Amino acid sequence: MSTHDLYVHETDAPLWQIPATGNARFTWEYDDGRDRLLALYQKGKDKQWDGQRRIDWDLEVDPYDPLGTPDEALTLYGTPYWDKMNEAERAELRRHYASWQFSQFLHGEQGAMVCAARIVESVPDMDAKFYSATQTMDEARHAEIYGRFLHEKVGMLYPINDNLQSLLDDTLRDSRWDMPYLGMQVLIEGLALAAFGMIRDTTDKPLPKQILAYVMQDEARHVAFGRMALRDYYKQLTDAELREREEFVIEGCYLMRDRLKGAEVLENFGIPRAEADAYSEQSEFLQLFRKLLFSRIVPCVRDIGLWGERLQRAYVDMGVFDMGDHNLDQLMAQDEEIAEKLDAERFAAEEAERTAEVAEAIEEGKTLQ
Ligand SMILES: [Fe+2]
Ligand SMILES: [Fe+2]
């Protein structure tokens, strides 16, 4: 079925076109890679997987509660609107929220695929081109999986959020080669990773859990790549050049915090935008959620050397400054472990089932004799 039949409302145009301004770069040095980047490239190749096979698509999903979201996590909870809604309307609201959230993941993954391909084109070093080529494939897989989940299991999609689109636009329009890294690998991926993690760790539904755990296993590599490449490059920049990057980060962070709240979902339920914004400000759950969204960005920004005074002040203002101390390596090791553990559990269960089937067949064989 065409995706256009599943959008809650029409998208602006069937194609979104951003003019490219940067240079494509070739290098003739093929044997001068940085060991850590090449090791990451090797890992990227070793850990390829097929979303059609690794994910158990036969698992059922309730489209009206795809994630098992508790009531308190919904913006409207505790408001007069919520009190007036019957169970069917609340279920519809859950479906819309899940659809909105996963649609942003899907559009973000397409953005990540395009940015990774742009990096292949524009980054000057071969080791980074190699790595980014594996990431392009990873992002294609992610977009494919989220798309399938929305088509088959939720049956509804939301267009891209305006502010996510504008951040992507700024990221891709810029001619400096490090900007797709900063906008995509650090900001958008950092935010997405934190959101994936919160859902992965709280949902009790097996299908979305598998999807998020396996996608995060790849994303851990992507963030590591952005950090390595930018840390090296930013050491060579002047103070003025670093401040420009910091301004971009500050603006992007405020934009994501204040504008990526799903107010468009509530508008579909007849609630005016200003009121929807006010409800999401009031919700304690959402306040915490929005803070946690920065748990991967802040330590990364600090690590790559964008830690000027203005940026630090902005993070104090947002209440996320302390997250700069989070240990990213540890978080990423955990992401890998969770995916591997999930595989081990699933394969152990399948193995047990197979053994039981074999034992049963032997028993049947005996009675036939
Ligand atoms: Fe991705
Ligand atoms: Fe990614």
Side-chain angles (χ1 to χ4, degrees):
M1 181 189 279
S2 159
T3 307
H4 285 276
D5 297 331
L6 299 177
Y7 277 113
V8 282
H9 47 80
E10 262 316 295
T11 53
D12 293 342
L15 270 185
W16 176 35
Q17 305 190 64
I18 308 166
T21 51
N23 294 331
R25 293 184 178 84
F26 280 74
T27 170
W28 311 121
E29 178 52 73
Y30 292 92
D31 192 28
D32 188 24
R34 288 157 282 188
D35 289 346
R36 287 186 67 198
L37 253 179
L38 289 174
L40 205 59
Y41 169 54
Q42 185 59 45
K43 204 168 175 187
K45 289 186 291 176
D46 290 342
K47 301 259 164 151
Q48 289 295 315
W49 50 282
D50 182 353
Q52 303 301 335
R53 287 192 220 164
R54 193 180 185 193
I55 288 166
D56 184 359
W57 290 102
D58 290 336
L59 286 167
E60 298 234 358
V61 173
D62 173 2
Y64 294 98
D65 191 16
L67 300 169
T69 313
D71 290 350
E72 304 79 50
L74 295 165
T75 322
L76 279 191
Y77 179 75
T79 67
Y81 287 104
W82 179 260
D83 298 336
K84 266 189 267 164
M85 288 171 124
N86 60 32
E87 251 330 295
E89 288 164 332
R90 289 175 183 175
E92 190 61 25
L93 182 68
R94 281 195 193 88
R95 182 185 187 207
H96 274 254
Y97 261 119
S99 161
W100 178 81
Q101 193 156 39
F102 277 79
S103 297
Q104 303 319 313
F105 293 166
L106 169 63
H107 305 311
E109 295 290 1
Q110 183 183 175
M113 179 173 69
V114 171
C115 285
R118 170 67 59 83
I119 292 172
V120 173
E121 185 184 39
S122 61
V123 72
D125 307 305
M126 191 55 77
D127 53 4
K129 285 183 191 293
F130 279 167
Y131 174 76
S132 213
T134 67
Q135 182 175 340
T136 308
M137 183 56 223
D138 293 347
E139 307 298 9
R141 174 168 54 246
H142 301 167
E144 174 199 344
I145 291 169
Y146 284 127
R148 181 167 176 185
F149 180 71
L150 284 161
H151 266 256
E152 275 181 25
K153 306 295 184 182
V154 182
M156 174 193 285
L157 281 94
Y158 265 79
I160 189 169
N161 169 278
D162 289 346
N163 299 285
L164 177 59
Q165 187 166 19
S166 107
L167 184 58
L168 254 176
D169 189 275
D170 289 345
T171 298
L172 281 165
R173 210 173 271 274
D174 204 294
S175 62
R176 293 167 291 187
W177 70 259
D178 62 306
M179 294 314 268
Y181 276 96
L182 192 57
M184 177 46 78
Q185 311 278 53
V186 177
L187 293 186
I188 300 178
E189 296 233 59
L191 196 82
L193 205 52
F196 294 171
M198 281 186 270
I199 302 175
R200 177 196 65 188
D201 299 339
T202 52
T203 186
D204 55 358
K205 307 287 180 186
L207 184 63
K209 205 183 189 83
Q210 279 178 22
I211 292 177
L212 291 161
Y214 296 151
V215 167
M216 286 186 78
Q217 188 179 24
D218 293 342
E219 300 295 354
R221 288 194 300 276
H222 305 169
V223 177
F225 170 56
R227 279 168 69 198
M228 272 178 219
L230 290 183
R231 202 165 30 192
D232 286 351
Y233 181 58
Y234 286 172
K235 277 186 202 136
Q236 310 160 22
L237 294 190
T238 64
D239 269 352
E241 287 167 328
L242 288 176
R243 296 299 85 83
E244 276 168 28
R245 268 82 181 169
E246 286 180 1
E247 285 306 316
F248 178 82
V249 170
I250 293 171
E251 235 173 80
C253 285
Y254 276 117
L255 193 69
M256 295 297 98
R257 186 192 69 162
D258 296 334
R259 298 290 164 76
L260 208 60
K261 296 191 283 207
E264 53 267 50
V265 171
L266 296 187
E267 279 184 318
N268 279 335
F269 283 75
I271 298 164
R273 175 62 68 115
E275 219 175 315
D277 280 343
Y279 283 139
S280 69
E281 272 321 306
Q282 281 163 18
S283 156
E284 262 174 51
F285 185 93
L286 283 175
Q287 278 177 14
L288 181 67
F289 184 84
R290 281 211 299 279
K291 257 191 201 175
L292 289 174
L293 282 178
F294 287 88
S295 58
R296 307 269 180 149
I297 295 179
V298 182
C300 186
V301 164
R302 182 177 175 172
D303 183 71
I304 57 178
L306 296 182
W307 204 238
E309 206 182 303
R310 257 182 64 75
L311 188 71
Q312 292 192 34
R313 262 202 312 243
Y315 283 156
V316 170
D317 171 53
M318 295 168 84
V320 300
F321 179 79
D322 293 340
M323 291 174 173
D325 299 331
H326 285 186
N327 186 333
L328 272 181
D329 293 320
Q330 207 178 340
L331 282 170
M332 282 172 342
Q334 249 169 30
D335 293 339
E336 292 212 42
E337 252 168 52
I338 289 174
E340 276 160 17
K341 212 172 131 218
L342 187 62
D343 270 343
E345 280 165 13
R346 289 179 55 206
F347 296 131
E350 275 172 27
E351 190 60 42
E353 212 174 290
R354 252 199 309 275
T355 316
E357 273 169 22
V358 173
E360 213 174 291
I362 292 173
E363 274 309 307
E364 265 173 37
K366 275 187 198 157
T367 42
L368 284 176
Q369 272 168 6

